[in-house]
Amino acid sequence: MRHLLLLFAAIMLAMAGLIAPTSAREQDVAQSDLPPLYRAEMTQAQAFVTEMMEQGVVVPVPKDPGGGYTHEQHKRNYRAIYLAGQLYRITREQAYADYVRDMLLAYAALYPTLGDHPAKANQNVGRIFWQVLNDAVWLVHAVQGYGDIRDGLSEADRARIDEDVFRRAAHFLSVESQWTFDRIHNHATWATAGVGMTGYLLEDQDLVDRALLGSDKTRTTGFLRQAELLFSPDGYYTEGPYYQRYALMPFMVFADAIAQNDPDRRIFAYRDGILLKALRTTVQLTYGGYFFPFNDAIRDKSLNTDELYHGVAIAYAETHDPGLLAIADWQGRTILTADGLELARDLAAGKAQPFAFGSMLLSDGPEGQQGAVAILRHGEGPDHTALVAKNSSQGMGHGHFDKLSWQFYDNGHEIVRDYGAARFLNIVAKDGGRYLPENESWAKQTVAHNALVVNEKSHFGGDVDLADSHAPTQLHYSAEPELQVSTARIDSAYPQERVTMLRTLALLDVAGLDAPVVVDLLRAEGEGPATFDLPLHYSGHIIETGFAVDRNLTSRPVLGADHGYQHIWVDGTAAPEADEAFMTWIFGGRFYTYRFVPQTGAQAILGESGANDPAFNLRREPLVIQRVSGAADATFVSLLEPHGLYDGATEQTIDSRSLIASLRHETHDSYDLVIVETKGGEQTVLAISYDDDPAQRHRATVDGRTLSWTGFAARIELDQERN
């Protein structure tokens, strides 16, 4: 069916007059017949390629790291090769084919002269670029553009480009860079895709087999094995959403090439349709179009990215999921292929339906046994509420030490934050766009996340190999209308202290409040006296605190010496008591109150990131830490309440102060009870039994009232209960 659609699209292009137009006017008329999204994409491609053609063929000797002149020029070149090839296929204007030919002949003269890139660093070195990954990206793009013009070349030009560019590049990636090629990692996905697509174009089965099955063709590595090991059964990519987005392009583009050249493989049905599942999961891992910034993530990456333009178009052609049309409409972009044309036509025909964002549990690990990511959503549209519990595995080399961490989104903004990566992509002044030293000393460390820290040391002592061998256990997930819950446990993050962490995060509807609150209950149990720190990184400006703060007004001490603590300035400390243990901040026209149940001898530390940062590599962001010292066990019970409105334009303020009067925590046998009382007197209880048996009835008493419920957790309004 897919191939019939491709043929139909080609016929439609011909009928539209896009093949060999006889005049500029005919071409303009033909383009006007195209659906708006496709026409806009074509216009944008023509503008870029025309500008590149006017500059002539510029293929400099590689010299610079990311962001430098030669780096950026070679990036522009592969984009120009790719787009000019597509434009030639659509219009048959010979100038496009000539430009691609001349560019590739210039690379044919350059490539045989190249050795290791002079700006090589700790990454695996490339030829055209400073790291081999970028060479693979170059090949994935260039081989597609070359495929569009290759049949029209002279035999001599075709032979030279085949041998001195594409065979050499494929050999470099799959033989000279075998260690990268055979990894289970996004770098290898790009490499196998480039080599495999080259194999299909040159009709070289050896290259195809090497790409699909690994360099030794035993299937222990290679593209197929990557599809098996890098995604969970739910389509979650182990390195996190940012790298899932990046890896999806080679996965989807190479899969598309496999489907066209070897349809009997049924690649899009492989492993229960894992690639299409991964595409949808990638979209689910966003809020307002921006990816949850897990692990080494650049925070400004969104669905508006080239990788997802390809992925959405290819997936739509395979599935005709109308929700993907809505994503393409949000992106405002597509690709100049038959897939992109079909998507654009159906979008113009009004076939789009809203993408079904929703609450879900995404398992991690190839068998789904390495933790999970829980997404709890409330409401619809761009301003909906989302709570994300990150209970996943380490995420390989790009992972952070942030077990049982969380984020919170509301009113169109990230309220409880994840730092992402300390990196300024492709900015020469910031180490050429490489990961900065502070990525190791701050961004990866546990205290830089909303996760429990013991004795001021990161999880697993910052040992990546140890961290990769352990993952949390997702104990419970449920998403009922008035109560959504995620609970997970890990007992291996602190092997010396033997600390077990059990964390429940819930979106709870509280009687008397318009919006749900976040309830965070974290139990830590160890075998000896320790210091427990629970940080919260938030977006906003403090409006008030219920507790007095001993402020550092003239100088700010640094909180610690290592594991990220050396990067925290201390603005002040406090010893909150009872119902005074809250702070309120404002962000995005809304107020947020963070309230917690103080433990005996507990301390609140108000701070900011940015200490010991001589090169200004870190963002200055606020945080608050709940600290318990000298205890073997600690239980942190916290609540985040969105409330009110602030409109500076109309000078209107509504409910700037918390609507909650008190937060309490009680234990009964093995049960946890969190009692929330509003200023209007309504009382709502989150009761947790830690028992998933729906037939087992549980009972507890609060304020003389007997509560009963079944299942792992329940929401109970006290005024509905009787003795």
Side-chain angles (χ1 to χ4, degrees):
M1 182 64 180
R2 176 84 184 282
H3 302 289
L4 292 176
L5 290 171
L6 291 171
L7 178 60
F8 172 76
I11 294 172
M12 292 300 293
L13 286 172
M15 292 176 64
L18 287 177
I19 294 180
T22 59
S23 69
R25 179 175 174 78
E26 285 183 23
Q27 184 180 0
D28 291 341
V29 171
Q31 290 189 34
S32 69
D33 292 337
L34 292 170
L37 186 63
Y38 194 89
R39 185 169 64 249
E41 194 68 38
M42 190 169 173
T43 299
Q44 185 168 328
Q46 287 172 321
F48 173 75
V49 172
T50 298
E51 179 183 357
M52 291 291 290
M53 291 169 67
E54 289 173 350
Q55 295 173 5
V57 172
V58 181
V59 180
V61 175
K63 180 182 68 174
D64 302 311
Y69 163 69
T70 62
H71 180 95
E72 293 302 314
Q73 182 63 38
H74 288 295
K75 284 175 58 181
R76 288 190 292 269
N77 285 352
Y78 72 61
R79 184 177 172 221
I81 293 168
Y82 171 70
L83 290 175
Q86 289 183 323
L87 290 172
Y88 172 71
R89 172 176 41 78
I90 295 170
T91 68
R92 293 300 173 184
E93 286 192 26
Q94 189 60 37
Y96 292 130
D98 291 346
Y99 176 70
V100 174
R101 177 201 63 204
D102 293 346
M103 181 78 78
L104 289 175
L105 285 173
Y107 275 104
L110 174 68
Y111 204 97
T113 71
L114 299 179
D116 286 356
H117 193 283
K120 64 182 179 181
N122 57 329
Q123 283 84 356
N124 297 298
V125 63
R127 292 286 186 267
I128 301 173
F129 298 92
W130 64 282
Q131 63 170 341
V132 69
L133 168 64
N134 299 86
D135 282 57
V137 175
W138 187 96
L139 182 57
V140 168
H141 287 82
V143 73
Q144 293 179 79
Y146 181 44
D148 288 328
I149 66 107
R150 183 174 180 269
D151 287 345
L153 296 179
S154 69
E155 185 175 341
D157 286 345
R158 184 166 58 246
R160 187 174 185 204
I161 293 170
D162 284 358
E163 295 301 320
D164 285 344
V165 179
F166 290 97
R167 287 196 185 279
R168 283 182 180 271
H171 185 271
F172 168 66
L173 291 176
S174 62
V175 178
E176 297 176 67
S177 304
Q178 181 182 340
W179 185 85
T180 296
F181 189 78
D182 284 339
R183 294 181 70 189
I184 304 299
H185 191 271
N186 75 80
H187 290 202
T189 307
W190 280 98
T192 54
V195 171
M197 293 167 72
T198 299
Y200 280 130
L201 180 63
L202 303 185
E203 298 182 345
D204 186 331
Q205 192 61 41
D206 176 64
L207 290 180
V208 172
D209 291 344
R210 210 181 298 173
L212 292 174
L213 309 175
S215 63
D216 62 2
K217 303 180 186 179
T218 62
R219 209 175 173 281
T220 56
T221 62
F223 184 81
L224 296 177
R225 192 60 174 155
Q226 291 166 17
E228 293 170 355
L229 297 181
L230 286 175
F231 295 107
S232 78
D234 296 314
Y236 179 75
Y237 182 75
T238 191
E239 292 183 278
Y242 175 83
Y243 277 97
Q244 177 152 344
R245 173 271 323 168
Y246 188 61
L248 260 184
M249 183 172 174
F251 268 117
M252 296 297 286
V253 170
F254 187 27
D256 196 41
I258 296 168
Q260 294 181 46
N261 288 277
D262 192 2
D264 290 343
R265 281 192 179 274
R266 301 183 69 245
I267 189 63
F268 284 110
Y270 185 71
R271 201 188 160 202
D272 193 28
I274 191 63
L275 296 181
L276 298 173
K277 193 179 297 184
L279 185 281
R280 291 190 178 96
T281 294
T282 305
V283 178
Q284 291 285 358
L285 289 163
T286 63
Y287 180 88
Y290 286 83
F291 297 103
F292 301 144
F294 298 167
N295 300 334
D296 281 344
I298 305 299
R299 295 176 50 82
D300 53 4
K301 279 292 185 181
S302 72
L303 293 170
N304 267 332
T305 182
D306 192 48
E307 296 88 358
L308 268 298
Y309 305 149
H310 285 78
V312 168
I314 293 168
Y316 180 74
E318 287 291 330
T319 65
H320 296 99
D321 177 356
L324 294 177
L325 293 177
I327 298 302
D329 190 38
W330 186 91
Q331 293 172 318
R333 297 289 304 276
T334 189
I335 55 176
L336 295 177
T337 65
D339 292 344
L341 179 60
E342 182 183 10
L343 178 147
R345 288 193 186 282
D346 286 357
L347 181 60
K351 296 182 180 181
Q353 295 180 13
F355 187 86
F357 288 99
S359 298
M360 60 181 55
L361 183 70
L362 300 170
S363 63
D364 192 8
E367 304 299 328
Q369 301 297 317
Q370 295 178 19
V373 172
I375 305 173
L376 311 177
R377 298 187 192 265
H378 173 83
E380 298 178 351
D383 295 337
H384 75 278
T385 297
L387 168 63
V388 185
K390 184 175 183 285
N391 305 322
S392 54
S393 67
Q394 178 68 15
M396 300 192 295
H398 288 298
H400 289 189
F401 301 99
D402 59 346
K403 296 295 162 271
L404 311 190
S405 185
W406 66 291
Q407 296 166 249
F408 180 70
Y409 296 81
D410 182 62
N411 197 33
H413 301 283
E414 185 184 19
I415 305 304
V416 174
R417 300 173 60 87
D418 189 290
Y419 191 87
R423 182 187 189 189
F424 294 81
L425 192 62
N426 284 342
I427 295 180
V428 176
K430 290 299 185 182
D431 205 13
R434 300 182 179 99
Y435 289 103
L436 298 166
E438 288 79 8
N439 197 58
E440 299 294 325
S441 62
W442 169 253
K444 287 189 174 185
Q445 302 299 325
T446 305
V447 75
H449 301 83
N450 307 301
L452 183 69
V453 188
V454 179
N455 291 336
E456 297 191 7
K457 296 190 301 184
S458 286
H459 296 167
F460 307 103
D463 185 328
V464 175
D465 292 335
L466 179 61
D468 272 335
S469 63
H470 298 277
T473 300
Q474 184 76 32
L475 297 178
H476 175 77
Y477 169 83
S478 60
E480 300 302 321
E482 295 183 326
L483 174 63
Q484 301 186 57
V485 180
S486 167
T487 300
R489 179 181 64 213
I490 188 167
D491 59 9
S492 54
Y494 289 101
Q496 291 183 341
E497 293 84 356
R498 299 182 182 275
V499 172
T500 296
M501 296 182 282
L502 176 69
R503 192 169 203 172
T504 295
L505 288 155
L507 270 184
L508 172 71
D509 281 11
V510 172
L513 300 185
D514 294 333
V517 302
V518 177
V519 175
D520 175 17
L521 195 156
L522 192 157
R523 286 185 168 277
E525 299 179 355
E527 293 189 354
T531 296
F532 298 94
D533 287 342
L534 184 61
L536 185 89
H537 298 261
Y538 61 92
S539 303
H541 187 88
I542 293 177
I543 298 299
E544 68 172 337
T545 62
F547 44 84
V549 180
D550 183 10
R551 291 294 309 279
N552 298 312
L553 297 177
T554 59
S555 63
R556 294 197 289 183
V558 176
L559 186 56
D562 204 353
H563 288 262
Y565 281 76
Q566 74 275 23
H567 291 300
I568 299 174
W569 277 311
V570 178
D571 287 316
T573 58
E577 296 181 1
D579 295 334
E580 296 177 349
F582 72 87
M583 56 185 290
T584 299
W585 64 82
I586 186 172
F587 190 74
R590 199 164 194 190
F591 300 93
Y592 298 89
T593 295
Y594 182 57
R595 186 180 299 273
F596 46 94
V597 177
Q599 301 174 65
T600 301
Q603 184 182 39
I605 303 170
L606 277 64
E608 185 181 51
S609 59
N612 288 304
D613 180 24
F616 299 100
N617 287 335
L618 293 177
R619 300 188 302 271
R620 274 51 173 163
E621 296 178 351
L623 71 153
V624 58
I625 297 175
Q626 297 180 57
R627 169 169 285 185
V628 174
S629 300
D633 305 327
T635 300
F636 296 90
V637 180
S638 314
L639 180 148
L640 182 63
E641 170 200 4
H643 57 93
L645 167 72
Y646 175 74
D647 188 336
T650 62
E651 301 182 7
Q652 183 182 28
T653 302
I654 299 173
D655 290 334
S656 63
R657 286 189 157 157
S658 171
L659 303 176
I660 291 176
S662 68
L663 174 69
R664 289 185 290 149
H665 171 241
E666 296 184 12
T667 59
H668 291 260
D669 297 326
S670 59
Y671 304 152
D672 276 308
L673 305 172
V674 179
I675 305 101
V676 184
E677 182 173 353
T678 68
K679 291 179 179 177
E682 299 95 338
Q683 290 183 304
T684 305
V685 179
L686 171 61
I688 307 173
S689 69
Y690 302 102
D691 182 356
D692 258 326
D693 184 354
Q696 181 66 45
R697 181 164 294 278
H698 309 286
R699 293 181 182 275
T701 301
V702 173
D703 296 340
R705 299 173 179 174
T706 299
L707 313 183
S708 63
W709 74 96
T710 59
F712 192 96
R715 173 189 178 274
I716 304 168
E717 293 185 26
L718 275 185
D719 58 2
Q720 297 175 355
E721 296 296 320
R722 296 293 183 267
N723 289 333

